mmCIF file of all heavy atoms in Angstrom:
data_model
loop_
_atom_site.group_PDB
_atom_site.id
_atom_site.type_symbol
_atom_site.label_atom_id
_atom_site.label_comp_id
_atom_site.label_asym_id
_atom_site.label_seq_id
_atom_site.Cartn_x
_atom_site.Cartn_y
_atom_site.Cartn_z
ATOM 1 N N THR A 1 -1.719 9.535 7.047
ATOM 2 C CA THR A 1 -0.740 10.014 6.040
ATOM 3 C C THR A 1 0.351 10.835 6.773
ATOM 4 O O THR A 1 0.001 11.691 7.451
ATOM 5 C CB THR A 1 -1.397 10.852 5.001
ATOM 6 O OG1 THR A 1 -2.361 10.031 4.144
ATOM 7 C CG2 THR A 1 -0.361 11.363 4.028
ATOM 8 N N PHE A 2 1.592 10.305 6.633
ATOM 9 C CA PHE A 2 2.667 11.102 7.213
ATOM 10 C C PHE A 2 3.971 10.598 6.642
ATOM 11 O O PHE A 2 4.030 9.529 6.055
ATOM 12 C CB PHE A 2 2.756 11.006 8.725
ATOM 13 C CG PHE A 2 2.871 9.600 9.353
ATOM 14 C CD1 PHE A 2 4.079 9.007 9.455
ATOM 15 C CD2 PHE A 2 1.675 9.027 9.810
ATOM 16 C CE1 PHE A 2 4.214 7.732 9.989
ATOM 17 C CE2 PHE A 2 1.796 7.643 10.377
ATOM 18 C CZ PHE A 2 3.067 7.036 10.450
ATOM 19 N N ARG A 3 5.118 11.326 6.868
ATOM 20 C CA ARG A 3 6.469 10.894 6.476
ATOM 21 C C ARG A 3 7.304 10.951 7.722
ATOM 22 O O ARG A 3 7.100 11.884 8.584
ATOM 23 C CB ARG A 3 7.000 11.809 5.360
ATOM 24 C CG ARG A 3 6.379 11.688 4.067
ATOM 25 C CD ARG A 3 7.092 12.564 3.023
ATOM 26 N NE ARG A 3 6.601 12.375 1.681
ATOM 27 C CZ ARG A 3 7.008 13.007 0.648
ATOM 28 N NH1 ARG A 3 8.090 13.858 0.737
ATOM 29 N NH2 ARG A 3 6.579 12.768 -0.540
ATOM 30 N N VAL A 4 8.247 10.038 7.861
ATOM 31 C CA VAL A 4 9.257 10.168 8.891
ATOM 32 C C VAL A 4 10.595 10.241 8.162
ATOM 33 O O VAL A 4 11.038 9.440 7.419
ATOM 34 C CB VAL A 4 9.254 8.753 9.633
ATOM 35 C CG1 VAL A 4 10.325 8.900 10.789
ATOM 36 C CG2 VAL A 4 7.847 8.374 10.260
ATOM 37 N N ARG A 5 11.208 11.444 8.410
ATOM 38 C CA ARG A 5 12.405 11.835 7.607
ATOM 39 C C ARG A 5 13.603 11.475 8.333
ATOM 40 O O ARG A 5 13.689 11.308 9.548
ATOM 41 C CB ARG A 5 12.390 13.322 7.408
ATOM 42 C CG ARG A 5 11.221 13.928 6.548
ATOM 43 C CD ARG A 5 11.191 15.382 6.453
ATOM 44 N NE ARG A 5 10.863 16.015 7.686
ATOM 45 C CZ ARG A 5 11.487 17.060 8.190
ATOM 46 N NH1 ARG A 5 12.431 17.688 7.619
ATOM 47 N NH2 ARG A 5 11.007 17.606 9.359
ATOM 48 N N PRO A 6 14.713 11.271 7.541
ATOM 49 C CA PRO A 6 15.989 10.860 8.002
ATOM 50 C C PRO A 6 16.619 12.006 8.789
ATOM 51 O O PRO A 6 16.295 13.283 8.552
ATOM 52 C CB PRO A 6 16.915 10.547 6.824
ATOM 53 C CG PRO A 6 16.195 11.176 5.688
ATOM 54 C CD PRO A 6 14.739 11.177 6.012
ATOM 55 N N GLY A 7 17.531 11.759 9.723
ATOM 56 C CA GLY A 7 18.334 12.826 10.325
ATOM 57 C C GLY A 7 17.636 13.416 11.621
ATOM 58 O O GLY A 7 18.109 14.365 12.252
ATOM 59 N N LEU A 8 16.469 12.905 11.963
ATOM 60 C CA LEU A 8 15.644 13.335 13.110
ATOM 61 C C LEU A 8 15.227 12.093 13.992
ATOM 62 O O LEU A 8 15.121 10.963 13.449
ATOM 63 C CB LEU A 8 14.395 14.055 12.712
ATOM 64 C CG LEU A 8 14.561 15.301 11.803
ATOM 65 C CD1 LEU A 8 13.164 15.734 11.361
ATOM 66 C CD2 LEU A 8 15.250 16.393 12.557
ATOM 67 N N VAL A 9 15.120 12.394 15.334
ATOM 68 C CA VAL A 9 14.359 11.345 16.109
ATOM 69 C C VAL A 9 12.821 11.798 16.099
ATOM 70 O O VAL A 9 12.553 12.851 16.494
ATOM 71 C CB VAL A 9 14.909 11.346 17.528
ATOM 72 C CG1 VAL A 9 13.997 10.370 18.382
ATOM 73 C CG2 VAL A 9 16.356 10.962 17.579
ATOM 74 N N THR A 10 12.038 11.005 15.477
ATOM 75 C CA THR A 10 10.599 11.231 15.340
ATOM 76 C C THR A 10 9.891 10.400 16.418
ATOM 77 O O THR A 10 9.914 9.211 16.356
ATOM 78 C CB THR A 10 10.081 10.894 13.923
ATOM 79 O OG1 THR A 10 10.722 11.784 13.059
ATOM 80 C CG2 THR A 10 8.620 11.197 13.934
ATOM 81 N N GLY A 11 9.251 11.095 17.419
ATOM 82 C CA GLY A 11 8.441 10.413 18.353
ATOM 83 C C GLY A 11 7.070 10.078 17.861
ATOM 84 O O GLY A 11 6.450 10.916 17.247
ATOM 85 N N PHE A 12 6.550 8.894 18.057
ATOM 86 C CA PHE A 12 5.315 8.379 17.616
ATOM 87 C C PHE A 12 4.474 8.205 18.985
ATOM 88 O O PHE A 12 4.604 7.242 19.689
ATOM 89 C CB PHE A 12 5.491 7.048 16.954
ATOM 90 C CG PHE A 12 4.226 6.663 16.207
ATOM 91 C CD1 PHE A 12 3.322 7.555 15.626
ATOM 92 C CD2 PHE A 12 3.994 5.309 16.002
ATOM 93 C CE1 PHE A 12 2.263 7.096 14.931
ATOM 94 C CE2 PHE A 12 2.866 4.821 15.338
ATOM 95 C CZ PHE A 12 2.024 5.760 14.762
ATOM 96 N N LEU A 13 3.647 9.198 19.198
ATOM 97 C CA LEU A 13 2.960 9.272 20.481
ATOM 98 C C LEU A 13 1.451 8.964 20.432
ATOM 99 O O LEU A 13 0.779 9.277 19.416
ATOM 100 C CB LEU A 13 3.150 10.684 21.136
ATOM 101 C CG LEU A 13 4.472 10.976 21.604
ATOM 102 C CD1 LEU A 13 4.774 12.505 21.838
ATOM 103 C CD2 LEU A 13 4.752 10.245 22.993
ATOM 104 N N GLY A 14 0.903 8.517 21.581
ATOM 105 C CA GLY A 14 -0.490 8.301 21.719
ATOM 106 C C GLY A 14 -0.770 7.497 22.920
ATOM 107 O O GLY A 14 0.125 6.755 23.380
ATOM 108 N N PRO A 15 -1.970 7.559 23.386
ATOM 109 C CA PRO A 15 -2.340 6.684 24.626
ATOM 110 C C PRO A 15 -2.207 5.242 24.200
ATOM 111 O O PRO A 15 -2.229 4.855 23.033
ATOM 112 C CB PRO A 15 -3.767 7.128 24.966
ATOM 113 C CG PRO A 15 -3.945 8.293 24.120
ATOM 114 C CD PRO A 15 -3.100 8.423 22.959
ATOM 115 N N ASN A 16 -2.196 4.352 25.206
ATOM 116 C CA ASN A 16 -2.252 2.852 24.891
ATOM 117 C C ASN A 16 -3.633 2.650 24.149
ATOM 118 O O ASN A 16 -4.696 3.106 24.563
ATOM 119 C CB ASN A 16 -2.297 2.124 26.252
ATOM 120 C CG ASN A 16 -0.937 2.131 26.973
ATOM 121 O OD1 ASN A 16 0.108 2.263 26.255
ATOM 122 N ND2 ASN A 16 -0.932 2.066 28.233
ATOM 123 N N GLY A 17 -3.495 1.777 23.140
ATOM 124 C CA GLY A 17 -4.661 1.549 22.280
ATOM 125 C C GLY A 17 -4.907 2.570 21.189
ATOM 126 O O GLY A 17 -5.820 2.378 20.481
ATOM 127 N N ALA A 18 -3.990 3.535 20.987
ATOM 128 C CA ALA A 18 -4.216 4.551 19.964
ATOM 129 C C ALA A 18 -3.919 4.007 18.504
ATOM 130 O O ALA A 18 -4.285 4.682 17.576
ATOM 131 C CB ALA A 18 -3.331 5.809 20.285
ATOM 132 N N GLY A 19 -3.288 2.888 18.454
ATOM 133 C CA GLY A 19 -2.902 2.354 17.134
ATOM 134 C C GLY A 19 -1.478 2.384 16.719
ATOM 135 O O GLY A 19 -1.167 2.137 15.548
ATOM 136 N N LYS A 20 -0.646 2.748 17.641
ATOM 137 C CA LYS A 20 0.773 2.896 17.354
ATOM 138 C C LYS A 20 1.476 1.587 16.837
ATOM 139 O O LYS A 20 2.089 1.538 15.895
ATOM 140 C CB LYS A 20 1.604 3.445 18.571
ATOM 141 C CG LYS A 20 1.022 4.832 19.103
ATOM 142 C CD LYS A 20 1.874 5.368 20.151
ATOM 143 C CE LYS A 20 2.022 4.480 21.374
ATOM 144 N NZ LYS A 20 0.694 4.244 22.051
ATOM 145 N N THR A 21 1.275 0.484 17.746
ATOM 146 C CA THR A 21 1.875 -0.731 17.354
ATOM 147 C C THR A 21 1.344 -1.317 16.054
ATOM 148 O O THR A 21 2.100 -1.821 15.221
ATOM 149 C CB THR A 21 1.684 -1.760 18.499
ATOM 150 O OG1 THR A 21 2.405 -1.283 19.625
ATOM 151 C CG2 THR A 21 2.319 -3.133 18.156
ATOM 152 N N THR A 22 0.046 -1.206 15.840
ATOM 153 C CA THR A 22 -0.585 -1.579 14.606
ATOM 154 C C THR A 22 0.021 -0.950 13.378
ATOM 155 O O THR A 22 0.385 -1.568 12.363
ATOM 156 C CB THR A 22 -2.094 -1.342 14.529
ATOM 157 O OG1 THR A 22 -2.687 -2.159 15.646
ATOM 158 C CG2 THR A 22 -2.674 -1.840 13.269
ATOM 159 N N THR A 23 0.272 0.345 13.550
ATOM 160 C CA THR A 23 0.868 1.146 12.447
ATOM 161 C C THR A 23 2.296 0.632 12.193
ATOM 162 O O THR A 23 2.673 0.469 10.992
ATOM 163 C CB THR A 23 0.923 2.680 12.834
ATOM 164 O OG1 THR A 23 -0.383 3.087 13.060
ATOM 165 C CG2 THR A 23 1.589 3.448 11.722
ATOM 166 N N LEU A 24 3.089 0.426 13.232
ATOM 167 C CA LEU A 24 4.417 -0.131 12.994
ATOM 168 C C LEU A 24 4.403 -1.424 12.311
ATOM 169 O O LEU A 24 5.257 -1.749 11.471
ATOM 170 C CB LEU A 24 5.197 -0.185 14.376
ATOM 171 C CG LEU A 24 5.435 1.059 15.128
ATOM 172 C CD1 LEU A 24 6.077 0.865 16.409
ATOM 173 C CD2 LEU A 24 6.211 2.045 14.205
ATOM 174 N N ARG A 25 3.548 -2.296 12.689
ATOM 175 C CA ARG A 25 3.429 -3.648 12.062
ATOM 176 C C ARG A 25 2.996 -3.525 10.652
ATOM 177 O O ARG A 25 3.455 -4.302 9.759
ATOM 178 C CB ARG A 25 2.404 -4.479 12.883
ATOM 179 C CG ARG A 25 2.927 -4.930 14.274
ATOM 180 C CD ARG A 25 1.878 -5.808 14.936
ATOM 181 N NE ARG A 25 1.656 -7.057 14.229
ATOM 182 C CZ ARG A 25 2.393 -8.096 14.328
ATOM 183 N NH1 ARG A 25 3.456 -8.094 15.141
ATOM 184 N NH2 ARG A 25 2.161 -9.273 13.668
ATOM 185 N N LEU A 26 2.152 -2.583 10.235
ATOM 186 C CA LEU A 26 1.798 -2.323 8.904
ATOM 187 C C LEU A 26 2.918 -1.877 8.081
ATOM 188 O O LEU A 26 3.183 -2.239 7.004
ATOM 189 C CB LEU A 26 0.592 -1.287 8.835
ATOM 190 C CG LEU A 26 -0.760 -1.808 9.317
ATOM 191 C CD1 LEU A 26 -1.715 -0.584 9.480
ATOM 192 C CD2 LEU A 26 -1.314 -2.847 8.429
ATOM 193 N N ILE A 27 3.757 -0.995 8.698
ATOM 194 C CA ILE A 27 4.941 -0.408 8.020
ATOM 195 C C ILE A 27 5.908 -1.616 7.698
ATOM 196 O O ILE A 27 6.483 -1.690 6.562
ATOM 197 C CB ILE A 27 5.678 0.611 8.819
ATOM 198 C CG1 ILE A 27 4.782 1.962 8.927
ATOM 199 C CG2 ILE A 27 7.051 0.972 8.267
ATOM 200 C CD1 ILE A 27 5.300 2.861 9.938
ATOM 201 N N LEU A 28 6.079 -2.496 8.616
ATOM 202 C CA LEU A 28 6.984 -3.603 8.496
ATOM 203 C C LEU A 28 6.359 -4.877 7.719
ATOM 204 O O LEU A 28 7.034 -5.889 7.600
ATOM 205 C CB LEU A 28 7.470 -4.076 9.794
ATOM 206 C CG LEU A 28 8.302 -3.017 10.543
ATOM 207 C CD1 LEU A 28 8.548 -3.397 12.014
ATOM 208 C CD2 LEU A 28 9.651 -2.899 9.912
ATOM 209 N N GLY A 29 5.094 -4.705 7.265
ATOM 210 C CA GLY A 29 4.537 -5.814 6.502
ATOM 211 C C GLY A 29 4.163 -6.925 7.281
ATOM 212 O O GLY A 29 3.758 -8.008 6.767
ATOM 213 N N LEU A 30 4.009 -6.790 8.621
ATOM 214 C CA LEU A 30 3.591 -7.831 9.464
ATOM 215 C C LEU A 30 2.033 -8.050 9.522
ATOM 216 O O LEU A 30 1.511 -9.040 9.925
ATOM 217 C CB LEU A 30 4.096 -7.706 10.946
ATOM 218 C CG LEU A 30 5.654 -7.686 11.026
ATOM 219 C CD1 LEU A 30 6.124 -7.368 12.340
ATOM 220 C CD2 LEU A 30 6.165 -9.008 10.663
ATOM 221 N N ASN A 31 1.308 -6.936 9.266
ATOM 222 C CA ASN A 31 -0.075 -6.945 9.011
ATOM 223 C C ASN A 31 -0.372 -6.380 7.647
ATOM 224 O O ASN A 31 0.447 -5.600 7.123
ATOM 225 C CB ASN A 31 -0.817 -6.046 10.062
ATOM 226 C CG ASN A 31 -0.816 -6.735 11.371
ATOM 227 O OD1 ASN A 31 -0.372 -6.094 12.461
ATOM 228 N ND2 ASN A 31 -1.281 -8.002 11.553
#
């Protein structure tokens, strides 16, 4: 659960395999 607000550069960090790309794909409806 989180929000990414306008007007900021929000870094999405984590080691390889932490789930970052999966999260992005879920946001974009690809998964």
Side-chain angles (χ1 to χ4, degrees):
T1 296
F2 60 82
R3 289 183 177 182
V4 185
R5 293 178 291 141
L8 302 172
V9 177
T10 299
F12 192 33
L13 286 164
N16 289 329
K20 303 186 301 298
T21 298
T22 297
T23 302
L24 296 179
R25 290 181 63 84
L26 290 167
I27 292 169
L28 293 167
L30 299 173
N31 289 124

